[in-house]
Amino acid sequence: VAIMASRTVFTAAGPGGTTLGKAFGVGTEMTVHFVDVGQGDATLVVSPAGNALLVDAGPNINAPKLVGYIRALGISDVDIAVATHAYSEHIGGMDEIIGAFPVREYYDPGYPYPGADYAELLRLVSARGVPYLQARCNTELFVDPWIDAIVAYPLAPLSGDITTNCVTVKVTMGDFDVL
């Protein structure tokens, strides 16, 4: 199975144009990668300072290629990993991400789900000592000072089924927003 990626680069009024940004050698671009992982999703946001926010990791079958894609970008750590929900086409590859990269924090909606992929992911999160946090509306995800990332959904308390409680993250840099 081939994995292809669409890379979209957004240039915003970022920190590289400021005195502080120049002092720290930070660029002006935030890149958003919508990675084709087959049946599923994987979105990688890279801040001007090179920090990474990964939302979903696609199915397990394409995980090695996703890991390779991230490494090819020169990324050595995933600062924040977010699973929108526990269906395997969204989290199947997350265990390989957590196994391949140091991950500072892992978020998901905390909706109970009996799937084997989800159980394995939670086991690995715990075994690797990655902090597990439940994503709720208005939770701030600190990637770095140059971008703002906030959970836009789900609300608390959870209600309905797994798909009505999916995590949505809003990332902002300057005048640019992406969900």
Coordinates of all heavy atoms in Angstrom, one line a residue, residues 118-173:
Y118 N -7.5 0.3 20.5 CA -7.6 1.3 21.6 C -7.0 0.8 22.9 O -6.2 1.5 23.5 CB -9.0 1.8 21.8 CG -9.2 2.9 22.7 CD1 -8.5 4.1 22.5 CD2 -10.0 2.9 23.8 CE1 -8.7 5.2 23.3 CE2 -10.2 3.9 24.7 CZ -9.5 5.1 24.4 OH -9.6 6.2 25.3
A119 N -7.3 -0.4 23.2 CA -6.7 -1.0 24.5 C -5.2 -1.1 24.4 O -4.5 -0.7 25.3 CB -7.3 -2.4 24.7
E120 N -4.7 -1.5 23.2 CA -3.2 -1.5 23.0 C -2.6 -0.1 23.1 O -1.5 0.1 23.7 CB -2.9 -2.2 21.7 CG -1.4 -2.2 21.4 CD -0.5 -2.9 22.4 OE1 -1.0 -3.7 23.2 OE2 0.7 -2.6 22.3
L121 N -3.3 0.8 22.5 CA -2.8 2.2 22.5 C -2.7 2.7 24.0 O -1.7 3.3 24.4 CB -3.7 3.1 21.7 CG -3.4 4.6 21.8 CD1 -2.0 5.0 21.3 CD2 -4.4 5.4 20.9
L122 N -3.7 2.5 24.7 CA -3.7 3.0 26.1 C -2.7 2.3 27.0 O -2.0 2.9 27.8 CB -5.1 2.9 26.8 CG -6.2 3.7 26.2 CD1 -7.5 3.5 26.9 CD2 -5.8 5.2 26.2
R123 N -2.5 1.0 26.7 CA -1.4 0.3 27.4 C 0.0 0.9 27.1 O 0.8 1.1 28.0 CB -1.4 -1.2 27.0 CG -0.5 -2.1 27.8 CD -0.1 -3.4 27.1 NE 0.6 -3.2 25.8 CZ 1.9 -2.9 25.7 NH1 2.6 -2.6 26.7 NH2 2.4 -2.8 24.5
L124 N 0.2 1.2 25.8 CA 1.5 1.7 25.4 C 1.7 3.1 25.9 O 2.8 3.5 26.3 CB 1.6 1.7 23.9 CG 3.0 2.1 23.3 CD1 4.1 1.2 23.8 CD2 2.9 2.1 21.8
V125 N 0.6 4.0 25.9 CA 0.7 5.3 26.5 C 1.2 5.2 28.0 O 2.1 5.9 28.4 CB -0.6 6.0 26.4 CG1 -0.7 7.3 27.3 CG2 -0.9 6.4 25.0
S126 N 0.6 4.3 28.7 CA 1.0 4.1 30.1 C 2.4 3.6 30.2 O 3.2 4.1 31.0 CB 0.0 3.2 30.8 OG 0.4 2.9 32.1
A127 N 2.7 2.5 29.4 CA 4.0 1.9 29.5 C 5.2 2.9 29.2 O 6.3 2.8 29.8 CB 4.1 0.7 28.6
R128 N 4.9 3.8 28.3 CA 6.0 4.8 27.9 C 6.0 6.0 28.8 O 6.8 6.9 28.6 CB 5.7 5.2 26.4 CG 5.9 4.1 25.4 CD 7.3 3.8 25.0 NE 8.0 5.0 24.6 CZ 8.8 5.1 23.5 NH1 8.9 4.1 22.7 NH2 9.4 6.2 23.2
G129 N 5.1 6.1 29.7 CA 5.0 7.2 30.6 C 4.5 8.5 30.0 O 4.8 9.6 30.5
V130 N 3.7 8.4 28.9 CA 3.2 9.5 28.3 C 1.9 10.0 29.1 O 1.0 9.2 29.3 CB 2.8 9.2 26.8 CG1 2.2 10.4 26.1 CG2 4.0 8.7 26.0
P131 N 1.9 11.2 29.5 CA 0.7 11.7 30.2 C -0.6 11.5 29.3 O -0.6 12.0 28.1 CB 1.0 13.2 30.5 CG 2.4 13.3 30.4 CD 2.9 12.3 29.4
Y132 N -1.6 10.9 29.8 CA -2.9 10.7 29.1 C -3.8 11.8 29.7 O -4.1 11.9 30.9 CB -3.4 9.3 29.4 CG -4.9 9.2 29.0 CD1 -5.2 9.0 27.6 CD2 -5.9 9.3 29.9 CE1 -6.5 8.9 27.2 CE2 -7.2 9.2 29.5 CZ -7.5 9.0 28.1 OH -8.8 8.9 27.7
L133 N -4.4 12.6 28.7 CA -5.3 13.7 29.1 C -6.6 13.6 28.3 O -6.5 13.3 27.1 CB -4.6 15.0 28.9 CG -3.3 15.2 29.7 CD1 -2.4 16.1 29.0 CD2 -3.6 15.6 31.1
Q134 N -7.7 13.8 28.9 CA -9.0 13.8 28.2 C -9.2 15.2 27.6 O -9.1 16.2 28.3 CB -10.1 13.4 29.1 CG -10.0 11.9 29.5 CD -11.2 11.5 30.3 OE1 -12.1 12.2 30.6 NE2 -11.2 10.2 30.6
A135 N -9.4 15.2 26.3 CA -9.6 16.5 25.6 C -11.1 17.0 25.8 O -12.0 16.2 25.6 CB -9.4 16.3 24.1
R136 N -11.2 18.2 26.2 CA -12.5 18.8 26.4 C -12.5 20.2 25.9 O -11.4 20.9 25.8 CB -12.9 18.9 27.9 CG -13.2 17.5 28.5 CD -14.4 16.8 27.9 NE -14.7 15.6 28.5 CZ -14.2 14.4 28.1 NH1 -13.4 14.4 27.1 NH2 -14.5 13.3 28.7
C137 N -13.6 20.7 25.5 CA -13.7 22.1 24.9 C -13.0 23.1 25.8 O -13.1 23.1 27.0 CB -15.2 22.4 24.8 SG -15.5 24.0 23.9
N138 N -12.2 23.9 25.1 CA -11.4 25.0 25.7 C -10.1 24.5 26.4 O -9.4 25.3 27.0 CB -12.2 25.9 26.6 CG -13.3 26.6 25.9 OD1 -13.1 27.1 24.8 ND2 -14.5 26.7 26.5
T139 N -9.8 23.2 26.2 CA -8.5 22.8 26.7 C -7.4 23.3 25.8 O -7.5 23.2 24.6 CB -8.4 21.2 26.7 OG1 -9.4 20.7 27.6 CG2 -7.0 20.7 27.2
E140 N -6.4 24.0 26.4 CA -5.3 24.5 25.6 C -4.2 23.5 25.4 O -3.8 22.8 26.4 CB -4.7 25.8 26.3 CG -5.7 26.9 26.3 CD -5.1 28.2 26.9 OE1 -3.9 28.4 26.7 OE2 -5.9 28.9 27.5
L141 N -3.8 23.3 24.2 CA -2.7 22.4 23.9 C -1.5 23.2 23.6 O -1.4 23.9 22.6 CB -3.1 21.5 22.7 CG -4.4 20.8 22.7 CD1 -4.6 20.1 21.4 CD2 -4.5 19.9 23.9
F142 N -0.5 23.1 24.5 CA 0.7 24.0 24.3 C 1.7 23.3 23.4 O 2.4 22.3 23.9 CB 1.3 24.3 25.7 CG 2.5 25.2 25.5 CD1 2.3 26.6 25.3 CD2 3.8 24.7 25.6 CE1 3.4 27.4 25.1 CE2 4.9 25.6 25.4 CZ 4.7 26.9 25.1
V143 N 1.8 23.7 22.2 CA 2.7 23.2 21.3 C 4.0 24.0 21.4 O 5.1 23.5 21.5 CB 2.2 23.2 19.8 CG1 3.2 22.7 18.8 CG2 0.9 22.4 19.7
D144 N 3.9 25.3 21.3 CA 5.0 26.3 21.6 C 4.4 27.7 21.6 O 3.2 27.8 21.3 CB 6.1 26.1 20.6 CG 5.8 26.6 19.2 OD1 5.0 27.4 19.0 OD2 6.5 26.1 18.3
P145 N 5.1 28.7 21.9 CA 4.5 30.0 22.1 C 4.1 30.7 20.7 O 3.4 31.7 20.7 CB 5.6 30.9 22.7 CG 6.8 30.0 23.0 CD 6.5 28.7 22.4
W146 N 4.5 30.1 19.6 CA 4.2 30.8 18.3 C 2.9 30.4 17.8 O 2.4 31.2 16.9 CB 5.3 30.4 17.3 CG 6.7 30.5 18.0 CD1 7.6 29.4 18.1 CD2 7.3 31.6 18.5 NE1 8.7 29.9 18.8 CE2 8.6 31.2 19.0 CE3 7.0 32.9 18.7 CZ2 9.5 32.1 19.6 CZ3 7.8 33.8 19.3 CH2 9.1 33.4 19.7
I147 N 2.2 29.4 18.2 CA 0.9 29.0 17.7 C 0.0 28.8 18.9 O 0.4 28.4 20.0 CB 0.9 27.8 16.8 CG1 1.4 26.5 17.5 CG2 1.8 28.1 15.5 CD1 1.2 25.3 16.6
D148 N -1.3 29.0 18.6 CA -2.3 28.6 19.6 C -3.1 27.4 19.2 O -3.5 27.3 18.0 CB -3.3 29.8 19.8 CG -2.7 31.0 20.4 OD1 -1.9 30.8 21.4 OD2 -3.0 32.1 20.0
A149 N -3.2 26.4 20.0 CA -4.0 25.2 19.7 C -5.0 25.0 20.9 O -4.6 25.0 22.0 CB -3.1 24.0 19.5
I150 N -6.2 24.8 20.5 CA -7.3 24.7 21.6 C -8.3 23.6 21.1 O -8.6 23.5 19.9 CB -8.0 26.0 21.9 CG1 -8.8 25.9 23.1 CG2 -8.7 26.5 20.7 CD1 -9.2 27.2 23.7
V151 N -8.7 22.8 22.1 CA -9.8 21.8 21.8 C -11.1 22.6 21.6 O -11.5 23.3 22.5 CB -9.9 20.8 22.9 CG1 -11.0 19.8 22.6 CG2 -8.6 20.0 23.0
A152 N -11.7 22.4 20.5 CA -13.0 23.1 20.2 C -14.2 22.2 20.5 O -15.3 22.7 20.7 CB -13.1 23.5 18.7
Y153 N -13.9 20.9 20.6 CA -15.0 19.9 20.9 C -14.3 18.6 21.4 O -13.2 18.4 20.9 CB -15.9 19.7 19.6 CG -17.2 19.1 19.9 CD1 -18.3 19.8 20.3 CD2 -17.4 17.7 19.8 CE1 -19.5 19.3 20.6 CE2 -18.6 17.1 20.1 CZ -19.7 17.9 20.5 OH -20.9 17.3 20.8
P154 N -14.8 17.8 22.2 CA -16.2 17.7 22.7 C -16.4 18.6 24.0 O -15.5 19.0 24.7 CB -16.4 16.2 23.1 CG -15.0 15.8 23.5 CD -14.0 16.7 22.7
L155 N -17.7 18.7 24.3 CA -18.1 19.4 25.5 C -18.1 18.4 26.6 O -18.0 17.2 26.4 CB -19.6 19.9 25.3 CG -19.8 20.9 24.2 CD1 -21.3 21.2 24.0 CD2 -19.0 22.1 24.3
A156 N -18.1 18.9 27.8 CA -18.2 18.0 29.0 C -19.6 18.2 29.6 O -20.1 19.3 29.6 CB -17.2 18.3 30.0
P157 N -20.3 17.2 30.1 CA -19.9 15.8 30.0 C -20.2 15.2 28.6 O -21.0 15.8 27.8 CB -20.8 15.1 31.0 CG -22.0 16.0 31.0 CD -21.5 17.4 30.8
L158 N -19.6 14.1 28.3 CA -19.8 13.4 27.0 C -21.2 12.9 27.0 O -21.8 12.5 28.0 CB -18.8 12.3 26.8 CG -17.3 12.6 26.8 CD1 -16.5 11.3 26.7 CD2 -17.0 13.6 25.7
S159 N -21.8 12.9 25.8 CA -23.1 12.3 25.6 C -23.2 11.8 24.2 O -22.5 12.2 23.3 CB -24.2 13.4 25.9 OG -24.1 14.4 24.9
G160 N -24.1 10.8 24.0 CA -24.3 10.3 22.7 C -23.3 9.1 22.5 O -22.9 8.4 23.4
D161 N -22.9 8.9 21.2 CA -22.1 7.8 20.9 C -20.6 8.3 20.6 O -20.3 9.5 20.7 CB -22.6 7.0 19.7 CG -22.7 7.7 18.4 OD1 -22.0 8.8 18.3 OD2 -23.4 7.3 17.5
I162 N -19.8 7.4 20.2 CA -18.4 7.7 20.0 C -18.2 8.7 18.9 O -17.3 9.6 19.1 CB -17.5 6.4 19.7 CG1 -16.0 6.7 19.8 CG2 -17.9 5.8 18.4 CD1 -15.2 5.5 19.8
T163 N -18.9 8.7 17.9 CA -18.7 9.7 16.8 C -19.3 11.0 17.1 O -18.8 12.0 16.5 CB -19.3 9.2 15.5 OG1 -20.7 8.9 15.6 CG2 -18.6 7.9 15.0
T164 N -20.2 11.2 18.0 CA -20.6 12.5 18.4 C -19.7 13.1 19.5 O -20.0 14.3 19.9 CB -22.1 12.5 18.9 OG1 -22.2 11.6 20.1 CG2 -23.0 12.0 17.8
N165 N -18.7 12.5 19.9 CA -17.8 13.0 20.9 C -16.3 13.1 20.4 O -15.4 13.0 21.1 CB -17.8 12.1 22.1 CG -19.1 12.2 22.9 OD1 -19.4 13.2 23.5 ND2 -20.0 11.2 22.7
C166 N -16.2 13.2 19.1 CA -14.9 13.3 18.4 C -14.2 14.6 18.9 O -14.8 15.7 19.0 CB -15.0 13.3 16.9 SG -15.5 11.7 16.3
V167 N -12.9 14.5 19.0 CA -12.1 15.7 19.4 C -11.9 16.6 18.1 O -11.6 16.0 17.0 CB -10.7 15.3 19.9 CG1 -9.9 16.6 20.2 CG2 -10.9 14.5 21.2
T168 N -12.1 17.8 18.2 CA -11.8 18.8 17.2 C -10.8 19.8 17.8 O -11.0 20.3 18.9 CB -13.1 19.6 16.7 OG1 -14.0 18.6 16.3 CG2 -12.8 20.5 15.6
V169 N -9.7 20.0 17.1 CA -8.7 21.0 17.5 C -8.6 22.1 16.6 O -8.6 21.9 15.3 CB -7.3 20.3 17.6 CG1 -6.2 21.2 18.0 CG2 -7.3 19.1 18.6
K170 N -8.6 23.3 17.1 CA -8.4 24.5 16.3 C -7.0 25.1 16.5 O -6.6 25.3 17.7 CB -9.4 25.6 16.7 CG -9.3 26.9 16.0 CD -10.2 28.0 16.5 CE -10.0 29.3 15.9 NZ -10.9 30.4 16.5
V171 N -6.2 25.2 15.5 CA -4.9 25.7 15.5 C -4.8 27.1 14.9 O -5.4 27.3 13.8 CB -3.9 24.8 14.8 CG1 -2.5 25.3 14.9 CG2 -4.0 23.4 15.5
T172 N -4.2 28.1 15.5 CA -4.2 29.4 15.0 C -2.8 29.9 15.0 O -2.0 29.7 16.0 CB -5.0 30.4 15.9 OG1 -6.4 29.9 16.0 CG2 -5.0 31.8 15.4
M173 N -2.4 30.6 14.0 CA -1.1 31.4 13.9 C -1.5 32.7 13.1 O -1.9 32.6 12.0 CB -0.1 30.6 13.2 CG 1.3 31.4 13.1 SD 2.6 30.4 12.4 CE 3.7 31.7 12.0

